[in-house]
Amino acid sequence: MDDDSRLARWQQRTEIPLGVASLVFLASYAIRVLGHGHLTDAVLDLCLALTFTAWALFGVDYAVRWLLSGQRWGFVRRHPLDTVVLFLPLLRPLQIVKTYDTVQRRHGRPWLTVQARVIVYAGLSTVLLGFTGALSVYHQERGAPGATMRTFGDALWWTCSTLATVGYGDFTPVTVRGRLIAVGIMAVGLGLLGAVTGTFASWLLQAFSREEDEGPPGS
């Protein structure tokens, strides 16, 4: 069995387990952040252990795929997003979207068109990244001197306005890590907005083109 087939079988077998691990990662991290000061240390420690366990699974998966590819640095160049996600695990909830797409494909041909799938998946990605972004920036900002985001609701509102590229300025991060997270959210917001806008424009052009080809009724 060659390396490509072994790699394909590994990816097929691990997609759903990694999707579950992503949910565990997101849930445990959310409980740790939102439950701070309300839950016992034992519960918080358990959530921390689950977070690092899920992160370790992502690392093992990356290492196995790297070895099975037989390409070493070529694998890193071909999978830059996976490499970034390995070091920025808060992006891991995107695995949930990937798992959803995989399940849809296994049940036959997807019932949505390509354009609709792009819009739906971009929307799901925005929701997941918005939630994790709000969690992470709130985690860094709460209790910081001069912080304006004092509640998770403030962080969620700030994240929504940032992803939408509005930026009201009523809340701003004051810590270095919070500002780094803000830069990432801005970049993601611009990318997702461009993807949705471009896909919707392409869909409209195709629809109008079909109408012109068909001509008026009775022609």
Side-chain angles (χ1 to χ4, degrees):
M1 183 181 299
D2 57 19
D3 291 340
D4 290 340
S5 59
R6 293 172 61 191
L7 177 60
R9 291 184 61 184
W10 170 266
Q11 291 177 324
Q12 184 178 7
R13 292 176 178 177
T14 57
E15 279 176 342
I16 294 180
L18 288 176
V20 174
S22 299
L23 285 173
V24 172
F25 180 93
L26 179 59
S28 60
Y29 182 68
I31 293 173
R32 282 186 58 230
V33 174
L34 300 179
H36 181 74
H38 303 283
L39 300 176
T40 63
D41 292 339
V43 174
L44 295 177
D45 290 341
L46 175 61
C47 291
L48 181 62
L50 290 174
T51 302
F52 279 105
T53 299
W55 193 358
L57 290 176
F58 305 146
V60 170
D61 171 67
Y62 184 89
V64 171
R65 289 190 293 121
W66 180 73
L67 291 173
L68 291 178
S69 68
Q71 297 176 355
R72 304 302 184 262
W73 289 112
F75 177 83
V76 177
R77 289 194 298 269
R78 289 175 53 191
H79 301 83
L81 181 60
D82 290 344
T83 305
V84 171
V85 167
L86 181 63
F87 295 99
L88 296 176
L90 286 176
L91 297 178
R92 258 299 165 179
L94 291 179
Q95 177 70 34
I96 300 171
V97 179
K98 182 180 178 182
T99 303
Y100 174 78
D101 183 57
T102 300
V103 172
Q104 290 292 317
R105 290 180 179 276
R106 289 182 181 177
H107 285 80
R109 186 176 180 180
W111 60 275
L112 293 175
T113 64
V114 174
Q115 291 85 357
R117 287 168 59 203
V118 170
I119 294 175
V120 170
Y121 296 160
L124 290 174
S125 300
T126 302
V127 172
L128 289 170
L129 289 174
F131 182 65
T132 55
L135 284 173
S136 57
V137 77
Y138 175 61
H139 189 196
Q140 302 301 325
E141 292 292 308
R142 65 182 179 192
T148 58
M149 284 178 273
R150 301 187 180 277
T151 65
F152 179 68
D154 295 339
L156 194 60
W157 167 253
W158 171 83
T159 303
C160 290
S161 62
T162 302
L163 279 172
T165 67
V166 176
Y168 289 108
D170 47 354
F171 299 109
T172 55
V174 298
T175 63
V176 175
R177 291 183 179 179
R179 290 175 177 175
L180 290 175
I181 294 171
V183 172
I185 292 176
M186 293 174 195
V188 170
L190 288 172
L192 290 175
L193 182 62
V196 172
T197 304
T199 302
F200 184 68
S202 175
W203 176 76
L204 288 177
L205 288 174
Q206 291 183 9
F208 292 151
S209 177
R210 285 195 298 268
E211 290 181 0
E212 291 181 356
D213 292 340
E214 292 174 358
S219 60

